[in-house]
């Protein structure tokens, strides 16, 4: 796992994080590739144009395949954003579509985490979906004494539910990796 917060496809390459994956990748490895959050923000130093983003995804796919590894693309997980009627709104429409298009053109397995996470938030609704994110009142958590209203980063519950989405997709897609997913038995 070479994931680091705040990285785009471009900074992942320039910081040598992709190279470390490429160097260690081997036949039968699954390489999960999920970017978009930081690529798409023009005001960040990690900004990657749409064309560069597409190019970088294709690079990751081709280099994974060169190592006989299996690339899996994931659209970026959605941010929590509802309209005035209580309907979830897309927050990564352009960059998620690029991931979908690259997956189709390169014939790569796709986990559409953008759509799946939006469905999860819609199921919880505008108010209860806050329970999945870093939504903290002042004094509620020592790391955020002033409180926090974050609709991007998950708390533990949100992270676990999104991880379950990915695990379920691995099973649904019947990736070889699915045989390694086990459900621990609870001791009584």
């Amino acid at each position: 796992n070479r994931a680091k917060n705040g990285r785009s496809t471009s900074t992942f390459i320039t910081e040598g994080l992709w190279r470390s994956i490429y160097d260690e990748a081997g036949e039968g490895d699954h390489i999960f590739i999920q970017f978009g959050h930081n690529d798409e923000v023009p005001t960040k130093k990690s900004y990657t144009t749409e064309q560069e983003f597409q190019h970088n995804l294709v690079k990751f796919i081709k280099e994974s395949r060169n190592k006989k590894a299996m690339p899996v693309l994931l659209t970026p997980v959605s941010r929590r954003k509802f309209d005035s009627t209580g309907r979830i709104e897309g927050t990564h429409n352009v960059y998620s579509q690029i991931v979908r298009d690259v997956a189709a053109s390169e014939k790569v397995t796709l986990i559409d985490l953008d759509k799946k996470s939006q469905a999860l938030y819609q199921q919880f609704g505008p108010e209860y979906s806050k329970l999945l994110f870093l939504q903290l009142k002042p004094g509620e958590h020592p790391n955020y004494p002033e409180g926090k209203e974050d609709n991007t980063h998950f708390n533990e519950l949100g992270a676990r539910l999104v991880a379950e989405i990915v695990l379920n997709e691995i099973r649904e897609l019947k990736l070889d990796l699915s045989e390694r997913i086990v459900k621990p038995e609870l001791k009584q």
Side-chain angles (χ1 to χ4, degrees):
N1 182 0
R2 299 292 191 275
K4 283 200 173 180
N5 65 327
R7 300 316 187 271
S8 66
T9 55
S10 296
T11 56
F12 204 74
I13 292 168
T14 60
E15 292 178 13
L17 296 166
W18 173 251
R19 185 69 194 185
S20 68
I21 291 171
Y22 179 78
D23 288 346
E24 292 180 26
E27 186 170 354
D29 288 343
H30 289 76
I31 300 178
F32 287 76
I33 304 165
Q34 186 211 24
F35 290 94
H37 267 266
N38 298 298
D39 293 90
E40 70 184 356
V41 183
T43 57
K44 288 188 171 190
K45 71 174 186 149
S46 59
Y47 175 65
T48 308
T49 68
E50 294 169 27
Q51 294 76 22
E52 290 169 323
F53 182 64
Q54 179 179 358
H55 171 80
N56 292 342
L57 292 176
V58 171
K59 170 188 172 64
F60 296 157
I61 291 165
K62 288 185 177 188
E63 291 184 0
S64 297
R65 287 177 169 161
N66 286 344
K67 293 290 203 129
K68 297 186 172 36
M70 293 167 274
V72 177
L73 289 181
L74 295 89
T75 55
V77 66
S78 181
R79 291 183 172 94
R80 182 186 159 275
K81 183 179 180 189
F82 288 85
D83 68 16
S84 61
T85 67
R87 299 290 313 155
I88 193 72
E89 292 183 345
T91 57
H92 302 295
N93 297 337
V94 172
Y95 280 69
S96 286
Q97 191 56 52
I98 293 169
V99 176
R100 291 180 196 108
D101 293 344
V102 168
S105 67
E106 297 295 321
K107 296 176 179 33
V108 173
T109 299
L110 173 72
I111 295 175
D112 199 334
L113 203 48
D114 187 17
K115 286 184 180 175
K116 296 280 183 179
S117 60
Q118 286 182 45
L120 174 68
Y121 311 156
Q122 190 64 62
Q123 182 182 356
F124 274 77
E127 191 58 33
Y128 289 117
S129 62
K130 291 178 184 178
L131 297 172
L132 307 176
F133 291 85
L134 290 178
Q135 298 276 329
L136 303 165
K137 294 178 176 57
E140 190 174 353
H141 195 283
N143 290 350
Y144 303 98
E146 304 301 316
K148 184 97 171 149
E149 190 172 317
D150 184 337
N151 292 306
T152 298
H153 299 97
F154 298 107
N155 59 26
E156 184 176 352
L157 174 62
R160 286 181 179 276
L161 291 177
V162 170
E164 277 186 31
I165 291 171
V166 174
L167 287 173
N168 287 335
E169 286 296 294
I170 290 169
R171 285 186 190 108
E172 288 285 317
L173 294 165
K174 296 180 179 27
L175 298 180
D176 295 343
L177 193 59
S178 64
E179 297 168 7
R180 299 181 190 166
I181 299 171
V182 295
K183 188 173 184 179
E185 292 183 28
L186 298 175
K187 294 182 180 181
Q188 295 187 12

